[in-house]
Amino acid sequence: MSTPPIPAALIEILRQARHIAVLTGAGISAESGIPTFRAALTGLWSQYRPEELATPAAFRANPALVWQWYSGLRATMRAAQPNPAHYALAAMQRHAPKVTLLTQNIDGLHQRAGSPDVVELHGNIHHMKCSAEHEPVEAWAEGSEEPPPCPRCGAHIRPDIVWFGERLPDAALDRANEAVRTCDVFFSIGTSGEVEPAASFAPRAMGHGATVVVINLDVTTSEARWLYRFHAQAGQLLPELVRAAWPEAAA
Ligand code: OAD
């Protein structure tokens, strides 16, 4: 896929920005080989809808099934490597005055690409918690019981992620709201914008005066005063965009 040109006006806006907020979704990890959320239930899992597995009720009804689905996904995510889009955002964080990186992803790839500070809105699949006490569980025996028991209370453990119908972590949401209010530029990258509250971050940021930049495969490339849309693969466009705005990042 050819990459759309990056308008000079946008490069100037990025160079002037004091605070850039970035929201990423499953599309940024697609080029690392992780299926996007809405394409994730393939093969054996194609008979389920995400809402049937990613809920507290599903876990209560069939904990082994939900555990096995997430174990497979965790193995895929552990084996994946960050791609040029993750590295480009880490470079942006090093070169722009302030970047708040918000992600809906649970794969940990931003951190592995060197991003020092990542706001995980939906948790992290590599972390576990007790399903009864909701306290973190550091060590568990994978492969014995499914799901393994909490070493403290014996209840099932579960991935420390946000399921449909659950609240986002307060601290992460506070940081997101602050970024939405105060950023000069808001990037929405690789997300379909179907799941709240993240879906309304970009329009809210625009309401506060930010320029919004959208990169995904659902939009048509277009350019307006406050809104730049790119139909592009993040792993191709973002490195170019970061090099154009911060040439020193290429060094
Ligand atoms: P989706 O699977 O809904 O959307 C993926 C988006 O990435 C789509 O807009 C694609 O066009 C775009 N895309 C695919 N490949 C791309 C690429 N190489 N470069 C750029 N964009 C690309 O994933 P999310 O929007 O992240 O939440 O889903 C949001 C939330 O829905 C997930 O975090 C999950 C789910 O419910 C929970 O589980 C709580």
Side-chain angles (χ1 to χ4, degrees), residues 25-28 30-31 36-39 54 104-105 122 162-164 190-193 195 215-218 232-235:
I28 199 168
E31 290 158 78
T36 59
F37 196 81
R38 282 170 180 78
Q104 299 169 94
N105 296 346
H122 292 169
V162 176
W163 279 333
F164 289 98
T191 174
S192 59
V195 176
I215 305 171
N216 70 40
L217 303 180
D218 302 334
Q233 290 186 273

Side-chain angles (χ1 to χ4, degrees), residues 77-132:
M77 289 179 169
R78 194 179 289 124
Q81 299 300 324
N83 68 56
H86 298 104
Y87 288 113
L89 289 180
M92 185 193 284
Q93 285 187 296
R94 286 193 297 275
H95 290 90
K98 179 176 178 184
V99 177
T100 304
L101 178 52
L102 313 165
T103 189
Q104 299 169 94
N105 296 346
I106 56 176
D107 56 31
L109 288 181
H110 286 302
Q111 292 89 332
R112 284 172 53 200
S115 278
D117 184 17
V118 183
V119 180
E120 292 182 313
L121 296 163
H122 292 169
N124 186 310
I125 198 170
H126 304 296
H127 300 162
M128 293 294 154
K129 67 177 181 180
C130 172
S131 62

Side-chain angles (χ1 to χ4, degrees), residues 168-250:
L168 272 63
D170 284 338
L173 204 50
D174 287 349
R175 288 196 62 195
N177 285 329
E178 206 258 341
V180 162
R181 266 196 318 272
T182 61
C183 67
D184 315 303
V185 179
F186 189 96
F187 278 86
S188 168
I189 304 171
T191 174
S192 59
E194 292 204 14
V195 176
E196 292 292 355
S200 45
F201 290 167
R204 281 173 51 209
M206 195 182 281
H208 287 286
T211 296
V212 169
V213 184
V214 178
I215 305 171
N216 70 40
L217 303 180
D218 302 334
V219 295
T220 306
T221 300
S222 67
E223 178 186 343
R225 178 114 172 72
W226 305 110
L227 178 61
Y228 293 83
R229 290 198 184 103
F230 294 94
H231 178 95
Q233 290 186 273
Q236 291 179 1
L237 183 76
L238 273 177
E240 268 186 45
L241 188 139
V242 169
R243 270 197 302 273
W246 298 277
E248 59 278 19

Side-chain angles (χ1 to χ4, degrees), residues 147-158:
C150 168
R152 281 184 300 270
C153 73
H156 293 315
I157 68 168
R158 56 163 278 187

